[in-house]
Amino acid sequence: MLDGQKILDMHAHTYAPPELYAYKSGLLSSRGYHGKGNPGVSDERLEEATQRGLKIMDSVGTDMQFLSPRPFQLMHSEKPASIVHYWNEVNNDIIGRVVKAHPDRYAGICGLPHVSGEKDSAHVVAELERCVKELGFIGVMINPDPGEGDEYTPALDDEYWYPLYEAMVKNKVPALIHSAACKDMRESYSAHFITTESQVVLNLLKPESKVFKDFPDLRIIVAHGGGSVPYQIGRWRAARFNRMKGDPNLENFDTSLKRLFYDAVLYNKESLSLLFELVGTDRCMFGTENPGSGTATDPDTGLQLDDTAPVIKSIEWLSDQDIKNVFEDTQKRAFPLLKV
Amino acid sequence: MLDGQKILDMHAHTYAPPELYAYKSGLLSSRGYHGKGNPGVSDERLEEATQRGLKIMDSVGTDMQFLSPRPFQLMHSEKPASIVHYWNEVNNDIIGRVVKAHPDRYAGICGLPHVSGEKDSAHVVAELERCVKELGFIGVMINPDPGEGDEYTPALDDEYWYPLYEAMVKNKVPALIHSAACKDMRESYSAHFITTESQVVLNLLKPESKVFKDFPDLRIIVAHGGGSVPYQIGRWRAARFNRMKGDPNLENFDTSLKRLFYDAVLYNKESLSLLFELVGTDRCMFGTENPGSGTATDPDTGLQLDDTAPVIKSIEWLSDQDIKNVFEDTQKRAFPLLKV
Amino acid sequence: MLDGQKILDMHAHTYAPPELYAYKSGLLSSRGYHGKGNPGVSDERLEEATQRGLKIMDSVGTDMQFLSPRPFQLMHSEKPASIVHYWNEVNNDIIGRVVKAHPDRYAGICGLPHVSGEKDSAHVVAELERCVKELGFIGVMINPDPGEGDEYTPALDDEYWYPLYEAMVKNKVPALIHSAACKDMRESYSAHFITTESQVVLNLLKPESKVFKDFPDLRIIVAHGGGSVPYQIGRWRAARFNRMKGDPNLENFDTSLKRLFYDAVLYNKESLSLLFELVGTDRCMFGTENPGSGTATDPDTGLQLDDTAPVIKSIEWLSDQDIKNVFEDTQKRAFPLLKV
Amino acid sequence: MLDGQKILDMHAHTYAPPELYAYKSGLLSSRGYHGKGNPGVSDERLEEATQRGLKIMDSVGTDMQFLSPRPFQLMHSEKPASIVHYWNEVNNDIIGRVVKAHPDRYAGICGLPHVSGEKDSAHVVAELERCVKELGFIGVMINPDPGEGDEYTPALDDEYWYPLYEAMVKNKVPALIHSAACKDMRESYSAHFITTESQVVLNLLKPESKVFKDFPDLRIIVAHGGGSVPYQIGRWRAARFNRMKGDPNLENFDTSLKRLFYDAVLYNKESLSLLFELVGTDRCMFGTENPGSGTATDPDTGLQLDDTAPVIKSIEWLSDQDIKNVFEDTQKRAFPLLKV
Amino acid sequence: MLDGQKILDMHAHTYAPPELYAYKSGLLSSRGYHGKGNPGVSDERLEEATQRGLKIMDSVGTDMQFLSPRPFQLMHSEKPASIVHYWNEVNNDIIGRVVKAHPDRYAGICGLPHVSGEKDSAHVVAELERCVKELGFIGVMINPDPGEGDEYTPALDDEYWYPLYEAMVKNKVPALIHSAACKDMRESYSAHFITTESQVVLNLLKPESKVFKDFPDLRIIVAHGGGSVPYQIGRWRAARFNRMKGDPNLENFDTSLKRLFYDAVLYNKESLSLLFELVGTDRCMFGTENPGSGTATDPDTGLQLDDTAPVIKSIEWLSDQDIKNVFEDTQKRAFPLLKV
Amino acid sequence: MLDGQKILDMHAHTYAPPELYAYKSGLLSSRGYHGKGNPGVSDERLEEATQRGLKIMDSVGTDMQFLSPRPFQLMHSEKPASIVHYWNEVNNDIIGRVVKAHPDRYAGICGLPHVSGEKDSAHVVAELERCVKELGFIGVMINPDPGEGDEYTPALDDEYWYPLYEAMVKNKVPALIHSAACKDMRESYSAHFITTESQVVLNLLKPESKVFKDFPDLRIIVAHGGGSVPYQIGRWRAARFNRMKGDPNLENFDTSLKRLFYDAVLYNKESLSLLFELVGTDRCMFGTENPGSGTATDPDTGLQLDDTAPVIKSIEWLSDQDIKNVFEDTQKRAFPLLKV
């Protein structure tokens, strides 16, 4: 392994005391009738929670986490819009306080106040700029389905998203694609993550999409290893090969896949290996959500599933540079504002 | 490789002349005003198409295909219900004619006349029984989303589906899970296949589901290698381990996964290997959809993507019995009515 | 009868091989996921079908047919808009190929890519101009109900339709009013034709309508003999007489009726006679839809219902000029671009 | 003309003082909050209005009118159901009072309290029986579209209507088909009458309809000369001939047409002649709606349009018996309870 | 009591003959198909009704009534918009005729043609100006819920209402807040009055509302004593006190309440006393709706409930000026155009 | 004042640590995907919060509070039903633990797991019985609007509610009427309380309601002093007097009002006095919600608004028995299971 390599976990979420979520519960009940109010998370209570988080990081050897709001809590589909804005700001502020207190251990990725039913994404730009300019954040998190399970928001290749893309390019911040809750009763929020990530990959890369022509510097990171796409790559390769017969200038699907970045939030060696093999380690970044979806102990092995650094290192065919890519170098390329 | 092994491709669809789909187009335009009418597919035209199919099978060494209606054409969400019934019957009849003409090369899997908005699945039972008893079919194909992208039909663990499950068990036929078209503008029909298959696995296997308690002999085959689930297995293992802490009688997720069957309709070696490793070859069956979603030639290699028998055989760690499982034995166990 | 009179059947639809409708079926199933693709109608197959059509024309003595897309197939209410555009273009292209091959026997009337839910009709203008300028078409066909049975598109006297009217006047093309399919379960597409045609007449001619004030050169042809209006003329005369009491400048209903053109697509002598009597032969044109809705043989008489030229000629009170009007002269006045 | 023939106008509506409609206006505003209340139509005010009606009848030579509630006022689509019931009862009571006061000049046809959104038509039976048994009425009026322009109520061949049909047969009363208002903005209530009447004819007579098999004694009278159907008869004949090719037991469309009765509420000689010719005078009855839709004077001729008795008598080809059929005999056959 | 004091009843509604409401009933049935037509209220019939009204006024000692259309009849939620406009104009015209005939006894408050679903309130301005400039009216009546029980129209602090507010200020007319009918089945129109009035008070006065900052001269009169707000004042005071802790510039709720005017349309002494005490007599005006909601006789006391002038005078703690405020002076300040 | 009188505050809500509401926030985000789980409210944390509550009670001299779940947090309109059930049970369990720990200071009133869209109220009965039988609760809390601002649940006089009423009578528990959140953007949850309470009073007491005939022993307590009804009593008296003219057996509105109980959760002397005067102290009970909506200090007086015991005692016209009624005796009559 290369010397001096850092372990940057780019997919982690706020680890806050219950006061934060009690505040959210109140917003939902009052629908904002009492105004934004104050979430009542004191510095002491926040630092207590942060220390628990740092202890986890130390226990698995993580140098730094990129913190974003806990996605399934973001309630983008709720009305009125004011409570979505209040809640999102409060989440970013909490992250800002943690980052300010521990700048060597955390970097900030802001949530965006997506509101379902808007005519375009311009309504999230002000918060992006506040977080980058005032709080020093290095990335944003996009929920491609602010309706949380409805069908109303256009796909990510639609011009609906262009105001946000312009702001991202201008401010040099990449976006982590990560949906929030899901109100479709056939799909849990967790399964909805995978579904929406798959949709994002396929919609951004389809032949009709002009996104990367219009925004060549746009950086998109697809969470959870790209949803289902790497595993199902055969059907997308075939579809593309057939389209290429009519349009020889089309690039093949494997080339398209490399226009995106992916995190490595998968909790088993076989899938991690498949991801690295199909998209390349220079498009992949270490991520764990720890503590989060993978925080569980296998009763048979006693291993914690989201302690994946050793798993990654155990993949035989990865070179030292591959490993450095995953833990550090891809992060640095994807996040121009990152200071490590 | 074991001697005398047959190659049974359990995932293939009708290969019919354009008259069949022109008939469908007319049904949609008339909404059934002229009655069921006649699709006008003559024996000559049908046999012409079938010979083209057999030639493909011979070219890749397939002994037998299990034919089902071409799923994305099934239009389950259309109204009135009569045209869904007409169209589904016509498709099954076409398959029946092909099977009758070539009983050693084809077996029948019937489409079901799912109608979106019904109170339960009883409306599909008569057609299941007609196909099994009169046409000699050996399986059925379930569309878990008859609304083709809406959210109205309950998940597969809901009692909505029990009348169908009872008929399946009684008639000894397994079901291939395969959705149809998709009217959600963010997801193509092809991506919707993967989404709905993932949902089916997760809903049938979740701790609250009683399906396999209530129907211990039910056989469910999830198409396209189980959607996204094998690739994303880590998050589902973790969620289950956490539930097991509160309920020690729960089985782990890997055990649950083996309650289902899967087809191997994936078109790359890495994913096929992942599937076989995670669920076991005794739950997997060879399938290609050839001609179908994987029918394309890689311009670099010149190989056709859905010619996967050689790909499977090239997976180093598979034993001879593993290979025989995939090509023949699992099919025989999953389809009690299969006569080979 | 006058010498040298031609028989111009201005209401006829594409007569295409099943490949065309199989293509439509695929578009509906894929919702355009594979792009526009190719309908796969070869010149040979198209000419085969056309020869069958010419044979029919010859058998009944028709000199020329004005071909428009088969209306009930037009699927204007389907989503996304792209498949409506694809399908409509393909239909017009097929007609263009037939007209080009047989310019003395066919003239083209283009279908329009109406999309339900648009804010006005501007989205159909480009295709109108393509068909007139590039394919040499002489008229357009308007579906007054792109929602195919819903209630959302405004009536034809609404300014919604003005962009199209402007383009019609500018390009010197008349419009045949003809709805498409119908998803209202109480009304077949065929009955819906009559309903929508009646609505068009009544809405365009009502006292509040400004259409013919704003577009004095607009030419509108109402299919199927004006729907129900001529038969029910008494109630509309009475309503108008009552409105005239309050507004003496209003014209009476019979005068208003003559602002429109009508085709004579009725299949019995009594109704044809009623139509000619009430609106005048100088507003009526011969039309048959042959082969189409009237293509059936009366088992008692052995006569084919849509062979109406002899029926028209048998109406005792029609003068030679009346007959010439119906078969030829009204067509020439209504279609300025017609070259015969 | 035959001696002693009576002129029975079977299509006439309540002619009431404004108090009645002011009551309705109040019901709509209060949504029934004050209960049913009292419409406040005194005997004096009612008799005043009735005398005006009798004077009209005398002026055109009508012996008797069959009175039904003024249809476009019936507001079947309004909520809650209570106000529909209140209003319908009050209308029937008003008719009952007029009939009781002038039994030799009026007979009663009751309105029904159709409520949109019910699961079947059983909710109208009690009022039918009240009117027949207590008020001595001889017929009912069915609104086939209680939603007044929506698409929710099933067509008249649906079993939805069977409870009403049973009550009609049991009580020996025929039904006049007559819709009410229309909230579809593309169609006036008056045009909606024609549309719904056409639908009723086509739905009741279509090959799939079992109504006359299940209720051989059911008597249905279609208002306004059958809507558009007689005029458009050619297309329905053709469609039927084509269905007969597949099912030789089907009767032809002209035979089917004679299963229904029609009123002659058309206001011009050509259309009346067409109607009598196509369906036969033994299925037609004199009707005027006078005063109503046809009550207007042609300024050129000075004739009142709904004074159609002389018009009918002027149709050259009608025999004396034909004329007696229209004015008297068909009414007697259609209304078994009629006492004249 | 002060000498020469007039009793100005600022809350009274048209008292018209049934012809007016029969006209409305016809509009609803025809949906405007016959145009605006003529309500047919003759001068004689109108004066007859007016004399009945004047007799009532004299009997209770009222000098003048401010007449507005009877609110629950206004049918703002009906479609198409044309009938809402027709009906509203006819109501205002009736009031104009009464005021013109009896200028010393009546002043006019116009109804507005609110149409549910519009993007802002600009569509009511023309009628406001017509009534003020042509008919000499002195105020307007706003229905804050044109949807009559739906949830679609924004609250009165939304910029939706600004075009109307601008016109009110420019024309020096105050608005009486008074909703119309209610189609929510859990709430009668009468209860809906109270609900919407409470909403208006709370929405206009909430800390986020900028209405009185943007329109310092706007005059709003809340009907029926302010709905529930005075009675429930404690909870609104408490909420405001809590908001004031975070924003010391906020005024307290009692001060806010005095930004509005209230009528005294309450029919019992206790509630009238409560109202006067909490908001002050300089914000209150005498009103009775007589004849209207309070027109009933208590069988025990024999007193008519809406004869509230004596009740008000009997409130012990009111000073002479208080009483003069309620009966006359507040009216004069609230209605700058009032000439008495 | 009478000796030994206790002060029983019958309207108080859970006073819990933030963990409880963080749990709710998680349920909403996961939509129940992880099952019911554990709210994680330890005995220590709960007792800490309870001690804060007891301190408040002691400071204002309250002997006992009847605790119900905090209503605006109840989220009855959320889906799936499982999370409504989980959350409601957890709330009742929290109350059960507090009551068990301090049986002399607290009694329990259970929340009910109302689910919007059910066909009747039977789904809440099991939880009612669990709380009464297992947890020893003495009353229930009904949300008359489980849709939280929609219009779908029938009014309280509808038979929808009968299963619940039967269980209430059988178990001898009264119901406190108290709505939850409100998603109608024109009405805050707090204003919605008042609206729904007013509706409940008017619907239960209207002449058409049969509730108290069918359930003579049913006990209903309307929160917040009966909404707007006492203040607006004049209009309801008048409406009833008018109905009584047509039905002399009807009781007057004041008599009807006394069929219900009311709490005295009003925070000003004038309104409290009005309430007691109109409905009588034998139908009123002391209640404060402390801490809750009235917990605020008037900056001018320094008094806390919800410290209303002294306010009540200061009402001059109340007798000692009146005061004892409000503080103790009415509670004892309304809650048969209360042990004090």
Side-chain angles (χ1 to χ4, degrees), chain F residues 236-275:
Chain F
W236 313 122
R237 284 174 173 160
R240 181 63 56 85
F241 287 146
N242 284 323
R243 292 293 287 271
M244 289 163 71
K245 287 191 289 191
D247 179 358
N249 292 324
L250 274 182
E251 65 190 20
N252 67 28
F253 189 74
D254 288 74
T255 302
S256 293
L257 263 187
K258 291 181 203 298
R259 294 190 174 276
L260 304 171
F261 292 92
Y262 305 87
D263 72 22
V265 180
L266 298 163
Y267 304 116
N268 64 313
K269 184 175 174 182
E270 301 87 347
S271 299
L272 286 161
S273 177
L274 181 79
L275 173 67

Side-chain angles (χ1 to χ4, degrees), chain C residues 59-70:
Chain C
S59 76
V60 295
T62 295
D63 291 285
M64 178 180 256
Q65 280 189 336
F66 299 178
L67 285 182
S68 47
R70 203 153 285 273

Side-chain angles (χ1 to χ4, degrees), chain A residues 36 46 86-99 127 130-131 135 137:
Chain A
K36 185 175 174 180
L46 183 57
Y86 294 162
W87 174 236
N88 189 72
E89 288 161 16
V90 162
N91 271 273
N92 289 334
D93 288 343
I94 288 280
I95 292 173
R97 288 161 66 187
V98 172
V99 169
E127 179 66 2
R130 183 182 80 93
C131 291
L135 305 182
F137 283 18

Side-chain angles (χ1 to χ4, degrees), chain F residues 286-323:
Chain F
F286 181 66
T288 66
E289 291 190 15
N290 187 353
S293 297
T295 308
T297 304
D298 184 330
D300 291 332
T301 65
L303 296 176
Q304 184 169 314
L305 273 74
D306 57 6
D307 183 9
T308 55
V311 178
I312 290 170
K313 292 174 188 163
S314 77
I315 298 175
E316 298 76 5
W317 62 268
L318 291 181
S319 70
D320 282 359
Q321 181 60 44
D322 281 328
I323 289 178

Side-chain angles (χ1 to χ4, degrees), chain C residues 208-225:
Chain C
E208 291 81 3
S209 167
K210 297 186 192 160
V211 171
F212 288 106
K213 289 192 194 72
D214 293 337
F215 298 94
D217 296 329
L218 189 72
R219 288 174 175 89
I220 299 284
I221 307 160
V222 187
H224 309 113

Side-chain angles (χ1 to χ4, degrees), chain D residues 3 9 75:
Chain D
D3 289 338
D9 178 350
M75 65 171 199

